[in-house]
Amino acid sequence: MSSSHTRATGLGPIRTTARRDADAPGLVHSYSAVSKVVKESGLLRRTHTFYGLLLGGLTLALGGVVTGFILLGDSWLQLLMAGALGVILTQFAFVAHEASHRQVLESGPANDRLGRFLASFVVGMSYAWWMTKHTRHHANPNRVGHDPDIEFDTISFQESDAARQRGLMALLTRKQGYAFFPLLLLEGLNLHWRSLQTLTAREPVKGRWIELGFIVTRFALYLGVLFTFLPLGMAFAFLGVQLGVFGVYMGASFAPNHKGMEIIPAHVKLDFFSKQVRTSRNISGGVWASALMGGLNYQVEHHLFPSMPRPHLARARDIVREHCRTLGVPYTETNIVRSYGIVIEYLNRVGLAARDPFDCPLVNRYRRS
């Protein structure tokens, strides 16, 4: 494979796709071809030993944090335990994400039970909320009006959303790329809040009472221990550090996957293979990146084969890259540092492109009237 095909890409212009691939020869049935190779290679088989060892290791790590918490007592070194807890909970969230995609166990119901327990009781998030949101994302990544991950939520991912911001939000939007990672310090709190909003809403929610029971019990135990055994200020500091690390780690793991990639207009339709590959970005680094990001570094392969267990994604990458080279479909991969630079640059460009920098707000106000 030529080195030019696997792109360590710069951002380039903010762009949308044109309907140029859906009817191209070889692309309509391209997914069937690559899927056949993947299946025949055994890459969709479950890897029970891997996930058993992973969950066992994470449970031991969680036990180590609890032990450290007990031994440290009334000490500001507890903030180290808080940071470690944030990392461990994110790793549990990765496994819950994989269970939601049927990557861990054989049957769908068994995966759901595991995912719901890990997400709700261990991490404190609603599995039902995550499933609804993430399923929509996988069906239409980066497609306007269909992908919830590019809808406005403090950060504007589309120029049309940036243009609607006023006042302080408009000022934030202009340089939102620089604010993105600091804002992730609040993402842990946001994930918990969104989960509770979903579970207490009037709309039907599958497993509502199970998840509410898990989450309420989890927070009662967690907060009860913190505020019983630590001084008030230290307990709040512990909670803040844990939530901050959790939010940054979660956001920094998911953000490089699609931000800055092609945006598909709502009316444009692409074949499944092109849609998933063109809107996804891999992160180089092999086994270390996979351990750090819970397999999300193989985002292209994950979107093409969402039920593929984490250990098989690396081998699938070689198959998919060769298939993309044959068909002339761009395959994007870069390192983690460059990916964050792309995300920041993209978000800033979205914010700055919302209006002409030479526009005078006062003149525009009277021009409209």
Side-chain angles (χ1 to χ4, degrees):
M1 171 164 302
S2 65
S3 59
S4 62
H5 182 67
T6 301
R7 300 180 298 168
T9 180
L11 178 60
I14 294 175
R15 61 208 185 279
T16 56
T17 61
R19 191 168 182 173
R20 56 183 177 272
D21 295 319
D23 301 317
L27 284 180
V28 174
H29 302 293
S30 59
Y31 180 71
S32 297
V34 74
S35 179
K36 181 179 180 181
V37 175
V38 164
K39 289 179 181 177
E40 290 176 349
S41 301
L43 300 184
L44 297 180
R45 296 196 192 107
R46 296 297 168 260
T47 53
H48 298 131
T49 301
F50 170 81
Y51 284 108
L53 290 173
L54 176 60
L55 285 171
L58 290 177
T59 302
L60 286 175
L62 183 60
V65 168
V66 172
T67 302
F69 179 88
I70 295 171
L71 294 176
L72 286 173
D74 183 357
S75 167
W76 285 102
L77 290 176
Q78 290 284 10
L79 298 187
L80 296 176
M81 295 297 101
L85 181 58
V87 171
I88 293 167
L89 291 180
T90 305
Q91 286 285 332
F92 272 115
F94 291 154
V95 182
H97 163 251
E98 290 170 283
S100 74
H101 282 293
R102 312 298 191 252
Q103 295 174 229
V104 182
L105 302 174
E106 296 293 341
S107 74
N111 276 292
D112 282 337
R113 286 192 293 270
L114 175 64
R116 181 169 286 111
F117 174 79
L118 293 177
S120 300
F121 186 74
V122 179
V123 181
M125 287 172 51
S126 168
Y127 181 75
W129 169 75
W130 174 260
M131 282 285 286
T132 301
K133 176 178 181 290
H134 201 59
T135 298
R136 289 176 57 203
H137 160 71
H138 264 264
N140 290 284
N142 276 17
R143 188 178 179 192
V144 177
H146 294 78
D147 185 357
D149 285 0
I150 60 172
E151 294 175 356
F152 173 74
D153 183 13
T154 306
I155 295 294
S156 296
F157 298 105
Q158 303 173 59
E159 292 179 22
S160 57
D161 289 331
R164 287 196 292 267
Q165 305 314 313
R166 296 292 182 269
L168 291 176
M169 281 303 303
L171 292 176
L172 172 65
T173 301
R174 299 295 171 252
K175 294 294 183 181
Q176 62 180 358
Y178 300 127
F180 179 68
F181 286 97
L183 285 172
L184 288 180
L185 290 168
L186 301 174
E187 181 62 13
L189 191 62
N190 180 54
L191 292 172
H192 294 311
W193 174 247
R194 289 297 186 93
S195 297
L196 288 174
Q197 277 187 317
T198 298
L199 294 174
T200 56
R202 293 183 177 181
E203 291 77 12
V205 178
K206 185 176 181 180
R208 180 199 305 271
W209 297 111
I210 295 174
E211 292 190 17
L212 273 175
F214 277 156
I215 290 175
V216 169
T217 301
R218 186 252 191 201
F219 276 105
L221 291 171
Y222 179 38
L223 297 179
V225 168
L226 285 186
F227 289 93
T228 298
F229 295 99
L230 295 180
L232 186 63
M234 191 180 295
F236 275 113
F238 187 105
L239 186 61
V241 169
Q242 182 264 298
L243 288 172
V245 170
F246 174 65
V248 170
Y249 192 4
M250 283 283 284
S253 298
F254 281 90
N257 303 335
H258 303 281
K259 304 298 182 285
M261 297 300 291
E262 296 191 50
I263 300 294
I264 304 175
H267 66 280
V268 171
K269 294 182 180 180
L270 297 176
D271 68 281
F272 180 80
F273 184 83
S274 298
K275 174 174 61 176
Q276 301 297 345
V277 174
R278 285 187 176 278
T279 59
S280 302
R281 178 191 297 113
N282 274 17
I283 304 300
S284 60
V287 64
W288 295 108
S290 187
L292 180 67
M293 301 179 69
L296 295 171
N297 55 310
Y298 296 114
Q299 193 64 198
V300 174
E301 290 70 32
H302 173 59
H303 264 255
L304 288 173
F305 309 102
S307 65
M308 182 179 291
R310 190 192 307 183
H312 293 162
L313 291 169
R315 288 175 59 197
R317 169 180 172 269
D318 296 333
I319 296 171
V320 173
R321 284 175 63 194
E322 177 61 24
H323 198 67
C324 286
R325 186 196 65 78
T326 302
L327 296 173
V329 175
Y331 182 102
T332 303
E333 182 175 281
T334 189
N335 62 62
I336 187 69
V337 175
R338 180 58 187 141
S339 73
Y340 291 149
I342 291 171
V343 171
I344 292 171
E345 186 181 352
Y346 166 73
L347 292 177
N348 280 340
R349 195 173 299 186
V350 167
L352 291 173
R355 69 172 175 84
D356 188 329
F358 296 104
D359 280 351
C360 173
L362 186 61
V363 170
N364 286 339
R365 176 183 175 185
Y366 284 103
R367 183 183 295 164
R368 286 194 298 269
S369 62

